[in-house]
Amino acid sequence: MQVHNVELTISAVRADQYPSGDQPEIAFVGRSNVGKSSLTNVLINRRNYAHTSSQPGKTQTLNFYHVEDQLYFVDVPGYGFAKVSKKERERFGRMIEAYLTKRQQLRGVVLLVDARHQPTDDDVTMYNYLKYYQLPTLVVGTKSDKLKPSQLARAKKTIEKTLDLDRKTGLVMFAAPTKRGQDAIWQWIEKMC
Ligand SMILES: Nc1nc2c(ncn2[C@@H]2O[C@H](COP(=O)(O)OP(=O)(O)OP(=O)(O)O)[C@@H](O)[C@H]2O)c(=O)[nH]1
Ligand SMILES: [Mg+2]
């Protein structure tokens, strides 16, 4: 999809603030700092619309971006971030859980993992969670520009093995600086919507 028009509809802290209507939603989840905002910016063809941060975990809202008046991208704040209080994290965890398990408009989840490293326990937990709730999932390996071409195939294998990817789940290697992978990611999103 060629995106010309995008609008941050709401940074929600409560479910009653989510957009009304029945347009499809695609959620982006992954560890803090993994590159969710960077991927969003590439997909919507903007430089820094979704703010990339040097302060991981600062945002504690579900950000709904309305794309071409057709669908929403939902930026889910990173997990695995320790600096917010335990109480805050629990409250937030419940909100994300409710969103992922109850939101009718949710059509698919893009799970981002850092392609340079083996997926973490948190990544594995998140993948299994999405699988358990039968949420259509695309795994995206980010920051793949940091890998040598010769390391790419092995990095892919490591992700597949560590997450124990099932056949339904796609895996795309992505790099924000070169936009590698963006077409494949868009194709999956359009198929889900
Ligand atoms: N080299 C490289 N750097 C990247 C890539 N994607 C993200 N980064 C960098 O990684 C850092 C974090 O990126 P963000 O997009 O803000 O990550 P995020 O997942 O949105 O982070 P939070 O919102 O804090 O959870 C920034 O310094 C980005 O420039 C990539 O594909 N390649
Ligand atoms: Mg972000």
Coordinates of all heavy atoms in Angstrom, one line a residue, residues 18 86-102 129:
Y18 N -10.5 3.6 22.7 CA -10.2 3.0 21.4 C -11.1 3.5 20.3 O -12.3 3.8 20.6 CB -10.3 1.4 21.5 CG -9.4 0.8 22.5 CD1 -9.6 -0.6 22.8 CD2 -8.3 1.4 23.1 CE1 -8.8 -1.2 23.7 CE2 -7.5 0.8 24.0 CZ -7.7 -0.5 24.3 OH -6.9 -1.1 25.2
K86 N 6.2 -1.7 39.4 CA 5.6 -3.0 39.2 C 4.1 -2.8 39.0 O 3.5 -3.5 38.2 CB 5.9 -3.9 40.4 CG 5.5 -5.3 40.3 CD 6.2 -6.2 41.3 CE 5.6 -7.6 41.2 NZ 4.8 -8.0 42.4
K87 N 3.5 -2.0 39.8 CA 2.1 -1.7 39.8 C 1.7 -1.2 38.4 O 0.7 -1.7 37.8 CB 1.7 -0.7 40.8 CG 0.4 -1.0 41.5 CD 0.1 0.0 42.6 CE -1.4 0.2 42.8 NZ -1.6 1.2 43.8
E88 N 2.5 -0.3 37.9 CA 2.2 0.3 36.6 C 2.3 -0.8 35.5 O 1.5 -0.8 34.6 CB 3.2 1.4 36.4 CG 3.0 2.3 35.1 CD 1.7 3.0 35.2 OE1 1.1 3.1 36.3 OE2 1.3 3.5 34.1
R89 N 3.3 -1.6 35.6 CA 3.5 -2.7 34.6 C 2.3 -3.6 34.6 O 1.9 -4.1 33.6 CB 4.8 -3.4 34.9 CG 5.7 -3.6 33.7 CD 7.0 -4.2 34.0 NE 7.4 -3.9 35.3 CZ 8.3 -4.6 36.0 NH1 8.8 -5.7 35.4 NH2 8.7 -4.3 37.2
E90 N 1.9 -4.0 35.8 CA 0.8 -4.9 35.9 C -0.5 -4.3 35.3 O -1.2 -5.0 34.6 CB 0.5 -5.3 37.4 CG 1.5 -6.3 37.9 CD 1.5 -6.5 39.4 OE1 0.6 -5.9 40.0 OE2 2.3 -7.3 39.9
R91 N -0.7 -3.1 35.6 CA -1.9 -2.4 35.1 C -1.8 -2.4 33.5 O -2.8 -2.7 32.8 CB -2.0 -0.9 35.6 CG -3.3 -0.2 35.2 CD -3.1 1.3 35.4 NE -2.2 1.9 34.6 CZ -2.3 2.2 33.3 NH1 -3.5 1.9 32.7 NH2 -1.4 2.8 32.6
F92 N -0.6 -2.1 33.1 CA -0.5 -2.0 31.7 C -0.6 -3.4 31.0 O -1.1 -3.5 29.9 CB 0.9 -1.3 31.3 CG 0.9 -0.9 29.9 CD1 0.1 0.2 29.6 CD2 1.5 -1.6 29.0 CE1 0.0 0.6 28.3 CE2 1.3 -1.2 27.7 CZ 0.6 -0.1 27.3
G93 N 0.0 -4.4 31.7 CA -0.1 -5.7 31.1 C -1.5 -6.2 31.0 O -1.9 -6.8 30.0
R94 N -2.3 -5.9 31.9 CA -3.7 -6.2 31.9 C -4.4 -5.6 30.7 O -5.3 -6.1 30.0 CB -4.5 -5.9 33.2 CG -4.3 -6.9 34.3 CD -5.3 -6.8 35.4 NE -5.3 -5.4 36.0 CZ -4.4 -5.0 36.9 NH1 -3.6 -5.9 37.4 NH2 -4.5 -3.8 37.4
M95 N -4.1 -4.3 30.5 CA -4.7 -3.6 29.3 C -4.3 -4.2 28.0 O -5.1 -4.4 27.1 CB -4.2 -2.1 29.4 CG -4.8 -1.3 28.3 SD -4.6 0.5 28.6 CE -3.6 1.0 27.2
I96 N -3.0 -4.6 27.8 CA -2.5 -5.2 26.6 C -3.2 -6.5 26.4 O -3.7 -6.9 25.3 CB -1.0 -5.4 26.6 CG1 -0.3 -4.0 26.6 CG2 -0.5 -6.2 25.4 CD1 1.2 -4.1 26.7
E97 N -3.3 -7.3 27.5 CA -3.9 -8.6 27.4 C -5.3 -8.5 27.0 O -5.8 -9.3 26.1 CB -3.8 -9.2 28.8 CG -3.5 -10.7 28.8 CD -3.1 -11.2 30.2 OE1 -2.0 -10.9 30.6 OE2 -4.0 -11.8 30.8
A98 N -6.1 -7.6 27.6 CA -7.5 -7.4 27.2 C -7.6 -7.0 25.8 O -8.4 -7.5 25.0 CB -8.1 -6.4 28.1
Y99 N -6.7 -6.1 25.3 CA -6.7 -5.7 23.9 C -6.5 -6.8 23.0 O -7.2 -7.1 22.0 CB -5.7 -4.6 23.7 CG -5.6 -4.2 22.2 CD1 -6.6 -3.4 21.6 CD2 -4.6 -4.7 21.4 CE1 -6.6 -3.2 20.3 CE2 -4.6 -4.5 20.0 CZ -5.6 -3.7 19.5 OH -5.6 -3.4 18.1
L100 N -5.5 -7.6 23.3 CA -5.1 -8.7 22.4 C -6.1 -9.8 22.3 O -6.3 -10.5 21.3 CB -3.7 -9.3 22.7 CG -2.5 -8.4 22.5 CD1 -1.3 -9.1 23.0 CD2 -2.3 -8.1 21.0
T101 N -6.8 -10.1 23.5 CA -7.7 -11.2 23.5 C -9.1 -10.9 23.2 O -9.9 -11.7 22.9 CB -7.6 -11.9 24.9 OG1 -7.9 -10.9 25.9 CG2 -6.2 -12.5 25.1
K102 N -9.5 -9.6 23.4 CA -10.9 -9.2 23.2 C -11.3 -8.3 22.1 O -12.5 -8.2 21.8 CB -11.4 -8.6 24.5 CG -11.3 -9.5 25.7 CD -12.2 -9.1 26.8 CE -12.2 -10.0 28.0 NZ -11.6 -9.4 29.2
Y129 N 2.0 -16.9 23.6 CA 0.7 -16.3 24.0 C -0.1 -16.0 22.8 O -1.3 -16.3 22.7 CB 1.1 -15.0 24.7 CG -0.1 -14.2 25.3 CD1 -0.6 -14.5 26.5 CD2 -0.7 -13.2 24.5 CE1 -1.7 -13.8 27.0 CE2 -1.7 -12.5 25.0 CZ -2.2 -12.8 26.3 OH -3.3 -12.1 26.8

